[in-house]
Amino acid sequence: MEGSVVVWLTCSLLAISCSVNAVYTYDPKSIRRRNLLANGLASTPPMGWNSWNHFNCMIDEKIIKETADALISTGLAKLGYKYVNIDDCWAEIYRDEKGTLVPKKSTFPSGIKALADYVHSKGLKLGIYGDAGYYTCSKKMPGSLGHEEHDAKTYASWGIDYLKYDNCNTDGSKPTIRYPVMTKALMSAGRPIFFSLCEWGDMHPALWGSKLGNSWRTTNDIADTWESMISRADENEVYADYARPGGWNDPDMLEIGNGGMTKDEYIIHFSIWAISKAPLLIGCDVRNITKETMEIISNKEVIAVNQDKLGVQAKKVRMEGNLEVWAGPLSDYRVALVLLNRGPDRTAITAYWDDIGIPPKSSVVARDLWEHKTLEPRFVGNLSATVDSHACKMYVLKPVS
Ligand SMILES: *[C@@H]1O[C@H](CO)[C@@H](O)[C@H](O)[C@H]1NC(C)=O
Ligand SMILES: *[C@@H]1O[C@H](CO)[C@@H](O)[C@H](O)[C@H]1NC(C)=O
């Protein structure tokens, strides 16, 4: 994404005004409902699959259909993974004579409507990809700048359920100028379409995204490495207060199953995305998924934390060097907790009730979500665990007195 570096630099000035703005105008209680995008979607973070992380531009309708089939046959769809999202490179470089986007004939010969019908027949939803510029990031297909209304109507007529909207090859104007045009177009297109803002966090979209979309990327693209994953988790955490049912911070799609990290690192990836109420969009080849990857992304108890109806994003509540405690409230006075060891040595980590919003004298039942065990002693005041290097523990805590 060549454009993004330039925008990032110019944004260092904006960052000051953005954050000052935040201090003076953000009042979570008063804006919590009023500023939501009124399409009724995203009461919990979206779950599904996206083609980009594994396939990049090498996609076709066969892969998309087989992925839909695989989401069903693996049982992932039943766990909530419903969106089948096509990323960049699905269209011809030229629009037709009416100005309509044309599905690429060599790779999507049946067209997107037929694909949507297929995906819907399985009880799943179809997502697509566009760009708030003249061309998408691949430069292999047109963007929607100047065609927003027409493209939104096209998507609605095809039966599209989700639009990821990228930020490449623009006219240089701010995302806050270009994105609302597509919001308006989608809202009058006659079909509820989840709107995923993908301007990579350049203009702090957490501060304005909830009025325009159902999720907003807070970071640049993820890569399948520990450094990339963990730095996106950090960048996304800063905006925790802005996530809420209807609109979510998005640290980018999952890399679990793509091979660049250890199993423990992928467990961290899934745990932190879940507790951060991030979209859970699988990014590997679901048609050829390993037992290990399935074990991670099908953990029902971790998914339940992500999909909890309270919809509050966790924060880092304590950091000591490489040791971190992440926690956030769940419904029914429960608390989700991650103990994260980013360092090179196996070390004990302690979470104190003081730090995680549990009254100090409360006795707590702890459920270990990766061991699938309710721990025997009750805990008072703190919970400690020894955690391997680049590994984590994840719990749900329930005060009982
Ligand atoms: C399936 O995955 C295995 C490793 O997990 C890999 O070696 C193989 O090439 C994959 N097959 C396809 C068709 O992608
Ligand atoms: C944790 O709490 C227990 C009492 O429940 C106490 O004995 C222990 O010292 C505490 N641990 C730390 C590290 O504060």
Side-chain angles (χ1 to χ4, degrees):
M1 316 229 152
E2 306 95 285
S4 71
V5 176
V6 178
V7 184
W8 183 255
L9 291 175
T10 56
C11 205
S12 58
L13 274 180
L14 286 166
I16 295 161
S17 65
C18 286
S19 54
V20 167
N21 193 29
V23 169
Y24 290 107
T25 65
Y26 180 63
D27 171 3
K29 283 196 199 87
S30 72
I31 68 168
R32 198 160 177 91
R33 288 288 158 191
R34 181 153 51 85
N35 278 353
L36 288 184
L37 182 62
N39 62 5
L41 299 174
S43 60
T44 60
M47 294 175 66
W49 172 87
N50 173 291
S51 56
W52 186 258
N53 284 356
H54 187 83
F55 294 98
N56 286 251
C57 263
M58 271 85 74
I59 50 168
D60 57 38
E61 62 184 38
K62 183 162 169 284
I63 291 173
I64 307 299
K65 284 170 119 173
E66 288 175 355
T67 297
D69 296 345
L71 286 172
I72 303 289
S73 65
T74 53
L76 287 167
K78 270 218 175 79
L79 294 172
Y81 295 97
K82 290 277 167 31
Y83 286 106
V84 179
N85 291 351
I86 308 169
D87 209 281
D88 202 350
C89 308
W90 60 268
E92 296 285 358
I93 187 84
Y94 298 112
R95 290 169 180 270
D96 73 10
E97 68 282 356
K98 291 185 182 135
T100 305
L101 291 162
V102 181
K104 198 166 173 183
K105 294 201 172 66
S106 59
T107 47
F108 291 85
S110 315
I112 303 298
K113 172 84 169 70
L115 204 48
D117 290 346
Y118 183 83
V119 165
H120 290 155
S121 77
K122 306 254 159 189
L124 302 173
K125 295 172 181 297
L126 190 70
I128 209 157
Y129 166 95
D131 186 278
Y134 298 118
Y135 293 97
T136 62
C137 297
S138 70
K139 295 202 176 109
K140 292 184 195 301
M141 56 173 279
S144 290
L145 188 59
H147 300 264
E148 291 87 350
E149 211 173 306
H150 191 81
D151 290 351
K153 290 218 165 76
T154 302
Y155 295 148
S157 75
W158 286 345
I160 293 293
D161 302 296
Y162 184 117
L163 173 65
K164 171 179 170 182
Y165 204 47
D166 223 333
N167 194 30
C168 286
N169 304 306
T170 71
D171 60 1
S173 65
K174 294 176 183 174
T176 45
I177 304 293
R178 286 173 286 110
Y179 280 71
V181 185
M182 185 51 98
T183 301
K184 190 155 172 267
L186 289 173
M187 295 303 275
S188 51
R191 182 180 176 85
I193 297 178
F194 185 109
F195 192 25
S196 155
L197 314 178
C198 182
E199 60 81 273
W200 324 309
D202 280 350
M203 281 195 62
H204 307 278
L207 306 190
W208 43 268
S210 65
K211 284 181 246 182
L212 301 186
N214 300 110
S215 67
W216 43 88
R217 278 276 298 281
T218 51
T219 69
N220 242 308
D221 280 12
I222 194 170
D224 188 16
T225 66
W226 162 258
E227 273 307 325
S228 174
M229 182 276 289
I230 206 70
S231 62
R232 270 141 198 81
D234 292 341
E235 289 163 29
N236 188 66
E237 190 266 349
V238 173
Y239 300 104
D241 282 335
Y242 297 90
R244 68 198 66 168
W248 306 101
N249 289 314
D250 177 5
D252 207 1
M253 300 159 312
L254 300 170
E255 291 283 9
I256 301 157
N258 284 331
M261 288 179 246
T262 67
K263 181 178 182 188
D264 279 346
E265 290 170 344
Y266 280 143
I267 287 175
I268 291 173
H269 188 3
F270 199 63
S271 302
I272 295 289
W273 262 240
I275 204 171
S276 303
K277 313 290 150 140
L280 298 180
L281 296 171
I282 301 165
C284 69
D285 186 355
V286 185
R287 304 168 308 165
N288 183 27
I289 199 162
T290 63
K291 206 164 145 265
E292 182 176 294
T293 299
M294 270 303 286
E295 197 186 308
I296 299 170
I297 65 176
S298 69
N299 185 323
K300 282 186 191 171
E301 299 188 81
V302 176
I303 292 171
V305 167
N306 179 257
Q307 297 290 303
D308 183 71
K309 63 175 191 277
L310 193 62
V312 175
Q313 179 175 333
K315 295 179 183 176
K316 276 188 225 198
V317 296
R318 185 177 279 266
M319 278 187 279
E320 283 167 23
N322 288 314
L323 311 178
E324 295 180 353
V325 177
W326 294 57
L330 298 173
S331 55
D332 301 327
Y333 306 103
R334 295 168 306 144
V335 172
L337 174 68
V338 169
L339 306 180
L340 170 61
N341 180 358
R342 303 164 68 134
D345 305 308
R346 183 174 155 85
T347 315
I349 305 178
T350 303
Y352 297 94
W353 282 195
D354 263 0
D355 288 334
I356 62 180
I358 295 179
K361 302 237 161 74
S362 293
S363 173
V364 161
V365 172
R367 174 82 181 167
D368 183 323
L369 306 191
W370 288 107
E371 299 291 334
H372 302 290
K373 273 203 312 235
T374 302
L375 303 186
E376 241 336 300
R378 293 193 170 169
F379 295 86
V380 181
N382 69 70
L383 182 156
S384 282
T386 303
V387 184
D388 286 336
S389 162
H390 283 209
C392 73
K393 293 289 220 167
M394 185 168 187
Y395 306 94
V396 167
L397 307 183
K398 191 170 169 51
V400 288
S401 64

